[in-house]
Amino acid sequence: MGGPEPEDGRHSTPDDDPRPSLWPRFLFSLALFGLLVGMMLGRLTTPEPVHLEQIEVREDGLALWFDQEPEVQAEELEGAYALMLGADGQSARGQLTLGTAPVSWKVLRSTHGVMVRFVAARPLHGEWHGAAADGRWRLEVSLRAE
């Protein structure tokens, strides 16, 4: 109900502020800044990848040379022997002789590192030993047939 005075807006609720609110923009900029700083710190603390530098064929296996110690997981799959190495390297293949039987070996690159696979006519069993030598890391793989 209206009063006798003309309505001049002094006693009514204030109008909405036409200026945009800065609070959402401020929170977004803080989140973006935190994401960028986190990515930079993660990049600084990531270790250098391990590189496969050289492969030497021996009588009973291979000698693999790395610039640092890699992670190694060994698997025996249906007569084949495989090593999954947490390293970076080039693909390669070759053959070696184990007693009188030929053994084929292959180095395969994957998303998780490098896989070294040995296959022969008879089931293979293998062992690996790693040691530091000449400022590098040498991984020796020894095979034996069943």
Side-chain angles (χ1 to χ4, degrees):
M1 207 151 52
E5 295 91 23
E7 290 190 23
D8 57 0
R10 285 188 290 176
H11 299 290
S12 62
T13 58
D15 292 333
D16 290 333
D17 191 9
R19 296 176 295 177
S21 175
L22 296 177
W23 186 245
R25 190 178 294 178
F26 174 73
L27 288 178
F28 176 74
S29 65
L30 276 180
L32 182 63
F33 181 73
L35 176 72
L36 293 174
V37 168
M39 288 174 60
M40 286 189 299
L41 288 176
R43 192 75 174 153
L44 289 174
T45 58
T46 302
E48 287 291 320
V50 180
H51 295 286
L52 174 62
E53 296 177 343
Q54 183 180 353
I55 301 171
E56 295 176 359
V57 178
R58 300 180 332 156
E59 286 183 22
D60 62 341
L62 292 178
L64 306 167
W65 291 87
F66 298 91
D67 60 348
Q68 302 172 34
E69 180 180 1
E71 296 178 21
V72 181
Q73 294 177 350
E75 298 178 7
E76 293 185 14
L77 307 165
E78 298 178 8
Y81 185 69
L83 291 173
M84 188 65 184
L85 307 170
D88 212 14
Q90 296 294 327
S91 298
R93 64 175 51 184
Q95 270 194 335
L96 58 98
T97 305
L98 187 62
T100 59
V103 176
S104 297
W105 60 269
K106 188 183 240 186
V107 177
L108 302 168
R109 296 175 65 185
S110 70
T111 57
H112 302 293
V114 173
M115 177 189 282
V116 182
R117 188 173 53 191
F118 299 92
V119 179
R122 288 190 242 154
L124 293 174
H125 296 286
E127 296 177 353
W128 60 271
H129 301 284
D134 301 329
R136 299 188 300 171
W137 187 263
R138 182 179 68 213
L139 182 74
E140 293 183 4
V141 182
S142 301
L143 301 171
R144 58 183 165 77
E146 240 182 41

